C-alpha cells in the first residue's frame, strides 16, 4: 500500500506539471457550436511517466507484455454505474468552459447539467459496446471510465453497438463522424482515442476475473461475441491520431482521482505495435 501511494503521488505531481504546461501554452480559439481536443502532442517517452508503475512491463513484447500490463492495470478501484455520471463531468470537462463536457463523437461542448436520457441530453457511451461480451452496466467493464465517454443521446443511438471501421455517411450532430449499416467511424480528432480505449479493454479484461475475455479482431459483425473490430483500422487510427493533451489529462484524472489505474497505450503508444 505504501508503494502504491508513493507511485500515485509521483503520478499526481507529473500530472500537475503537465496541466500547468498546457495552461501556459497559447490559447486556441474554439468554434461556437463545437469544441475540439487540444492538438496532438509528440509521442510520449517512458521518461515522461513514473517508471515504477510500468516496471514489470519494461523490455517485454507480445503476449508477455500483454500479460504484464494486464496484471498492472487490473489493480484498480471500481465505480458504480451511477458514480460514472459525476466522474465524466470531471474527466471530460471542456478546457475552455468548466461548466461543460466535450462529447466524444460529435465534439460538441454541452452543459454538465444536461446528463440524462432525453433529446438534447448527453449520456454514458460505452466505446467497447456493452453487448460485445454481454457485460451490461454492472460494476466492472460496464463501469470502466477508460472506455466510458459523454455523448449526445441521439448520436449514441446512431453508433449503437457497431464495430469501428472507415466509411459511411454523415448524420445530425455527427461532428465529422460517419456511419453505415454495420460500422461507425469517429471524427478524426478522436480516432486514436477510440483505438486506445478498445485496446485498453482488450488488455484489462482477459477472462480471469469473472468477465469475458475481450479481444480485438478484423470483423464488423461481432454481435454479442466478446470481440471488437476492426483491428487493422484501429491500429491505423492509433498511428494517425497520437495522444493529445486532453487524452493524457483524462488518463491522469482517472488514475489520480477515480480508478487508480492507467491506459498504457496513452502513456506508451509504441506498445500497441509491440503487442499486435
Amino acid at each position: 500500500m505504501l508503494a502504491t501511494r508513493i507511485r500515485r503521488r509521483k503520478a499526481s505531481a507529473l500530472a500537475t506539471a503537465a496541466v500547468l504546461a498546457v495552461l501556459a501554452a497559447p490559447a486556441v480559439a474554439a468554434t461556437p457550436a463545437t469544441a475540439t481536443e487540444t492538438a496532438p502532442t509528440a509521442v510520449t517517452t517512458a521518461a515522461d511517466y513514473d517508471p515504477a508503475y510500468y516496471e514489470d512491463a519494461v523490455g517485454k513484447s507480445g503476449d508477455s507484455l500483454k500479460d504484464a500490463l494486464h496484471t498492472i492495470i487490473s489493480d484498480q478501484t471500481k465505480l458504480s454505474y451511477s458514480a460514472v455520471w459525476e466522474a465524466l463531468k470531471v474527466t471530460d470537462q471542456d478546457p475552455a468552459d468548466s461548466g461543460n463536457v466535450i462529447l466524444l463523437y460529435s465534439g460538441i461542448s454541452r452543459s454538465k447539467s444536461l446528463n440524462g436520457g432525453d433529446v438534447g441530453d448527453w449520456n454514458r457511451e460505452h466505446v467497447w459496446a456493452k453487448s460485445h461480451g454481454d457485460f451490461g452496466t454492472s460494476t466492472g467493464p460496464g463501469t470502466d471510465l477508460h472506455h466510458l465517454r459523454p455523448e449526445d443521446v441521439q448520436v449514441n443511438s446512431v453508433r449503437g453497438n457497431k464495430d469501428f471501421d472507415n466509411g459511411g455517411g454523415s448524420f445530425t450532430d455527427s461532428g465529422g463522424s460517419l456511419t453505415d449499416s454495420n460500422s461507425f467511424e469517429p471524427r478524426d480528432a478522436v480516432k486514436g482515442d477510440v483505438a486506445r480505449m478498445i485496446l485498453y479493454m482488450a488488455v484489462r479484461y482477459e477472462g480471469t476475473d469473472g468477465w469475458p475475455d475481450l479481444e480485438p479482431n478484423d470483423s464488423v459483425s461481432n454481435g454479442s461475441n466478446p470481440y471488437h473490430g476492426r483491428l487493422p483500422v484501429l491500429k491505423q487510427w492509433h498511428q494517425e491520431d497520437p495522444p493529445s493533451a486532453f487524452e493524457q489529462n483524462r488518463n491522469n484524472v482517472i488514475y489520480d482521482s477515480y480508478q487508480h489505474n492507467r491506459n498504457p497505450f496513452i502513456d506508451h503508444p509504441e506498445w500497441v505495435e509491440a503487442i499486435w
Side-chain angles (χ1 to χ4, degrees):
M1 291 298 292
L2 178 59
T4 300
R5 287 196 295 271
I6 291 171
R7 289 196 295 270
R8 289 176 187 163
R9 283 199 296 270
K10 289 180 179 177
S12 180
L14 287 165
T16 301
V19 171
L20 290 173
V22 171
L23 292 174
V28 178
T31 59
T34 63
T36 58
E37 292 191 351
T38 306
T41 60
V43 172
T44 308
T45 65
D48 293 325
Y49 294 92
D50 176 13
Y53 185 75
Y54 292 118
E55 182 177 7
D56 292 339
V58 173
K60 297 179 179 178
S61 63
D63 288 342
S64 294
L65 175 57
K66 190 182 182 195
D67 290 345
L69 292 175
H70 169 73
T71 299
I72 292 167
I73 66 178
S74 294
D75 181 11
Q76 74 180 93
T77 299
K78 299 178 179 67
L79 278 68
S80 69
Y81 196 46
S82 60
V84 168
W85 282 123
E86 295 306 312
L88 291 179
K89 294 177 183 179
V90 180
T91 61
D92 290 75
Q93 178 175 295
D94 183 347
D97 187 341
S98 62
N100 287 10
V101 291
I102 295 180
L103 308 186
L104 177 64
Y105 303 132
S106 60
I108 292 171
S109 179
R110 182 167 293 171
S111 173
K112 291 178 178 179
S113 65
L114 292 176
N115 62 295
D118 297 329
V119 174
D121 288 343
W122 61 267
N123 59 6
R124 297 158 290 187
E125 156 69 343
H126 290 78
V127 175
W128 185 292
K130 57 183 181 288
S131 63
H132 289 221
D134 196 28
F135 52 75
T137 60
S138 299
T139 301
T143 65
D144 195 316
L145 287 172
H146 282 295
H147 84 118
L148 283 162
R149 301 291 290 266
E151 186 49 72
D152 175 80
V153 168
Q154 291 177 291
V155 173
N156 197 344
S157 179
V158 170
R159 188 268 160 135
N161 68 346
K162 295 173 183 175
D163 291 278
F164 294 105
D165 197 4
N166 290 312
S170 186
F171 52 91
T172 301
D173 288 335
S174 70
S177 296
L178 306 172
T179 193
D180 57 24
S181 63
N182 61 8
S183 70
F184 191 89
E185 177 184 344
R187 61 193 175 100
D188 290 347
V190 297
K191 279 185 166 72
D193 306 49
V194 166
R196 287 180 284 275
M197 286 186 276
I198 292 294
L199 298 179
Y200 161 87
M201 293 292 283
V203 171
R204 169 61 185 88
Y205 299 99
E206 292 278 58
T208 58
D209 51 2
W211 299 109
D213 181 6
L214 306 181
E215 295 294 340
N217 66 4
D218 194 13
S219 173
V220 291
S221 57
N222 283 305
S224 62
N225 294 313
Y227 309 121
H228 230 300
R230 298 181 51 227
L231 179 58
V233 173
L234 294 171
K235 288 176 64 178
Q236 175 191 354
W237 291 352
H238 167 68
Q239 291 294 329
E240 293 176 349
D241 174 35
S244 65
F246 183 94
E247 190 181 0
Q248 290 170 333
N249 181 66
R250 189 176 195 277
N251 199 24
N252 289 334
V253 171
I254 293 172
Y255 178 76
D256 289 334
S257 302
Y258 296 101
Q259 295 185 181
H260 310 301
N261 73 338
R262 303 184 67 82
N263 182 330
F265 305 115
I266 296 173
D267 295 338
H268 289 278
E270 73 279 7
W271 281 345
V272 170
E273 193 62 38
I275 295 175
W276 288 286

